[in-house]
Amino acid sequence: MRPFIVKQLDYDLTPVAGLALVGHHLKRLAPVFRHIDTALRVVGGVANSDILRSYVGLLVQGKSDFDAIENFRGDAFFKQALGIKLLPSSPTLRQRMDARAGDLFDFMPPLIETLLAGARPDYGVLPCGWVALDVDTFAMDNGGTAKDGVGRTYAGVDGYCPLAAYLGSHGFCLELALRPGVQHSASETQFNFERVIPMAQRLSAAGPKAPILARLDSGFDSAALMRVIESYNHAGQPQVDWLIKWNPRTTHVVALAERLDADAATLWEHPRAGKRVTVWEESLSIEGIERPLRRVLRLTERTIDAKGQLLIEPKFTLDGWSTSLEARQFDAKTVIALYADHGTHEQFHSEFKTDLDLERLPSGKFNTNYLVCELAALAMNILRLMGQAGLHGPNAPVRHAAKRRRIKTVMQELIYRAGRLIEHGRRVILGLGANDRAASAFERLHWQLAGTGG
């Protein structure tokens, strides 16, 4: 094999040609960026919209460190692709986000909603016809640091416990709200609902026109939160139903099992030797909610474990799910299956922490890290849109069949593409390699986005 001769060429190349596609999506957000620059005016410096564009440009590459912006100083493609007028230095990027984080919070939901409302993607409607709104918290390990808000999380690590809300089964993020590590899941969640649920209703009304099913785990098992969710049901808006895992708290499971065993009407199923399961329903009454509610319950008794070991005493597991879904349309097993599907969102948490490199947040200031998380939600949605439009179809890069591509795949196939910026005859050409297998999909997506004005 002949050895390579390494040589630096006299013309510019970019390893991230996919930023040109990101720039198309950022064009959709121009009205919001103009509003930001008008409300938070900067005289003689980098505009706040350029700060946000620059950081989103880093996040879609899986980079969260402020110093990573230094690699693009003097890079004409980075600025032109993302519509940046003046690129900030690393200190300017950090200091501006520190200084303006609190002022920029209110602009993050409009950025996300404008992006999704303009694109009208396939959110992934459930087979039952509802579109899921999965809300959950997860742990970010930031142990060994003195960052603001770091505390002991439910996962047993020191860090943060942000709340994420995803619309649809394809993982479009409406909010990633940073929380201190010690904050309980249900605490102050009603304020997140004030932003997330009306946004989900507007996006559903503009797109799939489907009712919304809010799915939450037992950390949110609160009558107060159920009343808050119910309060968003108004005429002319998509209906909001909810399915929340029940927290048994002090329920005496053994006594309940004895009562059910003595009841001749109890129906037991036997999935295997040494295991039996019964499922039943109870009506549920919550003050302030007039429509019928119910709780689906399941008791599992094991006398032999999954490995065949006989147990000295039976082991009981009690699960329950509170819901506003009507019994005539959703029987008990369907309700249980709908909640089991809620577990898919754990993959989306992982994509934030690994693909977008946000396990350990870049700043020591809580407000700055909060802004980073909200921008990460925007960046994730941009990558989701690119994957949905560009990585499916006959000319897409060869991959296994899937309804949704994870964020890392979108980065590998569409962001990390080698390109050459050529200026000729008052035109700017982004040249892709003759051996680039993704060039056809890239070009198709480029013209598709350019033709829709974003």
Side-chain angles (χ1 to χ4, degrees), residues 21 395 414 432 438-450:
L21 304 177
N395 62 352
L414 291 176
L432 303 176
S440 296
F442 191 105
E443 186 176 3
R444 171 177 57 82
L445 183 55
H446 164 73
W447 289 115
Q448 177 183 329
L449 293 172

Side-chain angles (χ1 to χ4, degrees), residues 116-136:
L116 296 178
R120 295 192 179 184
D122 175 9
Y123 294 105
V125 177
L126 297 170
C128 63
W130 271 244
V131 60
L133 178 61
D134 291 306
V135 179
D136 194 16

Side-chain angles (χ1 to χ4, degrees), residues 129-133 167 196-202 204-205 210-214 238-242 325:
W130 271 244
V131 60
L133 178 61
L167 183 63
V196 168
I197 294 180
M199 186 192 303
Q201 288 176 304
R202 290 190 294 269
S204 179
I212 294 164
L213 177 61
Q239 179 177 314
V240 182
D241 286 297
W242 39 269
L325 294 171

Side-chain angles (χ1 to χ4, degrees), residues 35-42 47-48 96 100 103-104 107:
H35 187 196
I36 291 172
D37 289 337
T38 301
L40 306 174
R41 192 175 298 278
V42 176
N48 288 301
R96 184 69 62 78
R100 286 296 196 179
D103 298 324
L104 289 167
F107 295 100

Side-chain angles (χ1 to χ4, degrees), residues 249-387:
R249 294 183 173 90
T250 58
T251 303
H252 198 298
V253 180
V254 174
L256 176 62
E258 291 174 352
R259 178 171 64 81
L260 291 171
D261 201 29
D263 188 349
T266 302
L267 298 177
W268 293 93
E269 294 183 358
H270 297 77
R272 61 169 174 82
K275 178 181 178 180
R276 62 176 184 167
V277 181
T278 183
V279 177
W280 73 102
E281 297 183 14
E282 295 178 352
S283 62
L284 180 63
S285 177
I286 295 178
E287 184 179 354
I289 302 179
E290 297 180 358
R291 61 171 166 160
L293 307 175
R294 59 188 170 129
R295 180 172 292 144
V296 174
L297 296 134
R298 180 180 66 192
L299 179 68
T300 304
E301 179 191 46
R302 294 178 178 86
T303 55
I304 303 174
D305 68 14
K307 297 180 180 179
Q309 175 66 50
L310 291 170
L311 303 178
I312 296 176
E313 293 183 347
K315 180 180 178 181
F316 297 101
T317 304
L318 178 63
D319 298 298
W321 300 268
S322 305
T323 184
S324 63
L325 294 171
E326 294 184 3
R328 62 182 176 81
Q329 191 171 356
F330 299 89
D331 61 20
K333 290 187 177 180
T334 302
V335 169
I336 294 173
L338 279 172
Y339 185 82
D341 182 65
H342 171 62
T344 304
H345 75 279
E346 295 289 347
Q347 300 172 20
F348 310 147
H349 298 340
S350 174
E351 289 176 297
F352 273 121
K353 295 196 286 186
T354 57
D355 299 358
L356 294 183
D357 191 29
L358 286 178
E359 175 75 36
R360 300 181 74 84
L361 294 169
S363 177
K365 294 179 169 56
F366 183 84
N367 281 355
T368 304
N369 285 332
Y370 195 116
L371 180 59
V372 166
C373 287
E374 291 286 32
L375 289 172
L378 178 65
M380 171 178 273
N381 289 331
I382 290 173
L383 292 169
R384 285 257 186 266
L385 292 171
M386 290 171 56

